[in-house]
Structure formats: C-alpha cells, structure tokens
Amino acid sequence: MTSSGMITEVVLPGVVEPDGLQINRRSMPVPAAGQALVEVEATGISYAEQSMRRDLYPGQPAFPFVPGYDLVGTVRAVGPGGDGSLVGTRVAVVTKTGAWTTHAVVAVDDLTPVPPGLDPAAVETVVVNGVTAWQMLDGARLRAGQTILVHGANGGVGTVLVQLARHLGLRVIGTAAPRHHEALRALGVEPLDYRTPDLAARVRELSPDGVDAVFDPVAGPGVRTSYRLLAPGGTLVVYGNASANGAARSIVWVFVKLLARLYTWNALPNGHRVGFYNFWAGSRTRGAAFRRRLRADLGSVLDLLRQGVLVPQIAARYPLTEVSAALAFAEARTRPGKVVLEP
C-alpha cells in the first residue's frame, strides 16, 4: 500500500476524447469477506475500453466509472476470514471494469496465480486476450494442417490467436495494415492487406478451397466476405463488432442485426458453423462453473507463456497517469499487440 493510504484511478466521465479521461485520488479501499486487495502492476487497453469511451460497449456501466478489463498484480490484503497465505501472491484477474487503478478490490474466486518469474506486463497481454483466443480456437474444433483466416491479426487478441494457432499446427492467413506485415511474418502468419479491394480473391489464391475457420472482430459489411470464404464444413467466429465504433445508430440495434444474420446463416443446411463469441456467456447462469473454466483456461495460457510458446506482444508501455496518451496511441494502431499501463 502507499504510505498515504490513497490510491490513484482513472475515471471515464462520459463520452469524451482520450484527453477527457480524469485522474482521481481517493482513500484505499478495504476488502470485505470473500475479497482481496490487489496492488496493480499492469493493466491494459483493449477494444472494450475504446468502445466504452464512445458509450458503444453493450452492458457497460453508467458514467462515470473506472475502466479496465483485466489486471496483473500482487495481493496485499484479504477480507475477514480470508486465506492469509494469498498475501504476497502475484495474480491475474479479469475485471471487465475497474482495473485502471493502482489498487483494486476483487473477488478471491476470480484470482488466477501467475507463474513466478514472468514480467507482469507480459502476463497482461495474455489475460483476457489469451482466454478469448484459447476459447475461440477450442470451440472451432480445428485440426493440425488446416487453414484459418484471422482478421485484425495485429491486434491484442489477434497476436495471441495466431500464436496459439501456429502452436496447434494450423496454417494462418492474417489481415492487417502493411506496416504490421513483417511482425506477423515473424509469428508465422501469411499477411494480407485488409484494405485490398480483391481481398477475397487473394485469400482464394492462398487457399483455393476456402479456409477452415475465419475469426472476425470487425463484422460490418465484411462479415459476408468472411462467410463466403469458408471451406465446406468451415466455421465463422465473430468476436467483436469494431465496425460499429463509427456507427450513428443505436449499438443495440447494430448487434441485434448482426446476431440475426449470424443465426440465420447457422441454420442453413450447408455444413458451416457460425457464431458470436461472448466472453461472458454463462457468467450469470453458471457462475461457479464459469469461473472454474476461466481460471483453468487462463492457467493454460499462462503456462504456455511460461514455456515461451507465447511471445508477449507489447505495443507500448505507459504509466497509468499517462493514460490519455496511451489510449490515443492504442486507437491509432501503429504497432501490433497490446498497450500496457503500469501503475
């Protein structure tokens, strides 16, 4: 804890530009029973926070609130009746909001131990991003030697997804801006410029029979192309709707329209499987089981990081107090990977 008993946190006051984020100081929170106080060593910026500042993320809290989808840190205190042996343990936590702070109170059941010797910033790149990639690949039921197409392969999820896919023996075609192609080649990806007018034809040149799976975080009009590129029996996984960040219409309507299209395609008798990946699916109806699976999957990803199978893709590191500059940098997408905040 800080000697002053105060913490620093970032507040999103409303729909603002990155420089509208506020730095707030308040008293150190005290964990209740079943909770732990974690001193945050690394958190990060994801698509979720970029959408939240525009009020475009489904289910986000009412303004003002503290953003931050996940964190890595050290347990400094536990609530009454808690396991005192947790104090001093480095953990990773998915929070959805509240991680952009120097200290966070979280549920003990949400703590996943971090293997010793890992850089907290490196771990941060594979927390929510790693679980997302792991669960999507698991659900796609792919086999070594098959070919997948990853849109936004340079992003936080994309860079983890392509590494996991290569580890499983999959061939990976990835779309990104040309400035990211060299980095993607180093990860074993065959890169294509996402702005190429004949993108579908370029994919067909590389995989004439189509691809066995497409992972699409953008959706929008391009989701039709993703679907048409599937090989017989192929799977389309949409895991975001980044195209909606510029939408003037209700975000709810945009998602309803997208989900209706996906479910319609999934009902067609052509052998394709189509779905929308929702990180939080089952969290309300199967709370304990959801948490167990989350901890298990995150533990598997962290073990691959420990083994060196996953190479952390850190786009940049910023102090928490420079979050406005960090968010602007993240939204510019000038470097692959995830922007990490270090309180």
Side-chain angles (χ1 to χ4, degrees), residues 38-120:
V38 177
E39 182 177 0
V40 181
E41 296 168 277
T43 178
I45 298 174
S46 66
Y47 161 76
E49 291 90 15
Q50 296 171 32
S51 297
M52 287 179 187
R53 78 161 183 86
R54 300 176 173 92
D55 199 18
L56 291 176
Y57 193 84
Q60 71 182 74
F63 297 118
F65 66 93
V66 176
Y69 219 93
D70 56 8
L71 62 85
V72 179
T74 298
V75 176
R76 294 305 181 198
V78 294
D83 182 0
S85 67
L86 289 173
V87 176
T89 303
R90 178 169 287 156
V91 295
V93 189
V94 179
T95 55
K96 195 171 187 178
T97 58
W100 287 4
T101 179
T102 56
H103 298 76
V105 170
V106 299
V108 170
D109 288 345
D110 290 336
L111 305 177
T112 299
V114 172
L118 294 178
D119 175 12

